[in-house]
Amino acid sequence: MKFDDLYYIANELNKEKVRWMIGSSVLLYFHGIVDSPNDIDIVIDEKDIMKVKDIFDKIGIEQRKEKKYPYLTEYFYTYIVRDTSVDIMCNFGLAHQCGDYRLKIDEAAIVEYRKINDYILPLSSLEDWYVLYQLMSGRESKVNMIEEYLISNGVNHYELFDRALTQPLPEAVVCNIKSLTGDKA
């Protein structure tokens, strides 16, 4: 992944006043958890999905991908923008043994607007991705890395854990959240 490509995308989305946020490995990179992300994962507010589709149709080449269970994401697109693969998700959801879980995108979910080289990058929370990765198969290493980070640096967004706990979650995920938060979530 090339960071110039991320800045180019951020500029295009911000110019059109899209509500979006960065997640996954780029988010982990910005917290020093991984050394280098492979691609860009962004989550889009549903009200902006058609605007975003138009933007990416102009700046990238769409790659066809089939939706795979347990992912319930309503709108999912993959584009190549310059040299970087970008996954665009809207109404991101995961099915699991206790029900369905949905990532909410609103101002509370965007926990930081990081400015780099005059580009504004809206970041989602490690707390939300800690929950999401636990619901994804084969992501144990990322769960462990985020957990270690939160133990070392503290939980900053208890309210997002509280919000996560209002949705159906496996007992193991609930226990992991509660062990990180004590009585605060």
Side-chain angles (χ1 to χ4, degrees):
M1 187 209 106
K2 292 184 176 176
F3 282 93
D4 284 344
D5 296 346
L6 173 62
Y7 306 145
Y8 172 69
I9 291 164
N11 188 57
E12 293 299 310
L13 294 173
N14 293 338
K15 211 167 43 174
E16 296 299 322
K17 299 187 180 353
V18 169
R19 180 182 288 171
W20 66 289
M21 61 187 186
I22 296 168
S24 200
S25 62
V26 174
L27 175 68
L28 300 184
Y29 171 83
F30 282 131
H31 287 283
I33 296 172
V34 298
D35 292 331
S36 62
N38 296 324
D39 63 358
I40 299 170
D41 292 284
I42 61 174
V43 183
I44 303 295
D45 190 324
E46 184 175 17
K47 72 177 178 51
D48 291 322
I49 192 60
M50 295 319 297
K51 189 187 311 185
V52 169
K53 181 86 170 86
D54 288 343
I55 291 167
F56 276 87
D57 283 344
K58 290 176 188 156
I59 67 171
I61 300 167
E62 187 171 0
Q63 308 293 295
R64 297 285 176 200
K65 279 193 179 177
E66 295 296 316
K67 289 184 184 180
K68 294 181 185 174
Y69 188 84
Y71 296 94
L72 303 173
T73 306
E74 188 174 346
Y75 302 96
F76 179 81
Y77 304 102
T78 298
Y79 281 84
I80 301 298
V81 177
R82 296 179 172 176
D83 295 322
T84 301
S85 179
V86 182
D87 287 338
I88 301 163
M89 298 165 277
C90 178
N91 294 334
F92 184 37
L94 289 158
H96 56 84
Q97 68 267 30
C98 298
D100 297 344
Y101 185 88
R102 295 272 175 194
L103 175 63
K104 186 171 181 165
I105 178 170
D106 57 12
E107 281 306 312
I110 301 170
V111 298
E112 180 183 354
Y113 289 89
R114 187 164 293 189
K115 186 174 181 180
I116 300 175
N117 301 333
D118 294 325
Y119 298 102
I120 304 298
L121 305 173
L123 303 182
S124 56
S125 74
L126 289 175
E127 290 83 357
D128 277 336
W129 285 90
Y130 178 68
V131 174
L132 291 167
Y133 279 137
Q134 288 182 77
L135 300 174
M136 297 178 202
S137 171
R139 303 298 172 95
E140 294 81 11
S141 67
K142 289 188 177 178
V143 170
N144 292 334
M145 288 187 283
I146 294 172
E147 187 171 272
E148 288 174 20
Y149 181 92
L150 293 174
I151 288 168
S152 296
N153 297 284
V155 172
N156 290 321
H157 304 285
Y158 289 96
E159 72 281 3
L160 295 177
F161 276 149
D162 286 337
R163 183 157 76 175
L165 291 169
T166 66
Q167 296 191 59
L169 287 171
E171 189 59 34
V173 176
V174 172
C175 288
N176 288 340
I177 292 170
K178 290 188 178 213
S179 73
L180 279 176
T181 62
D183 291 331
K184 294 181 184 175

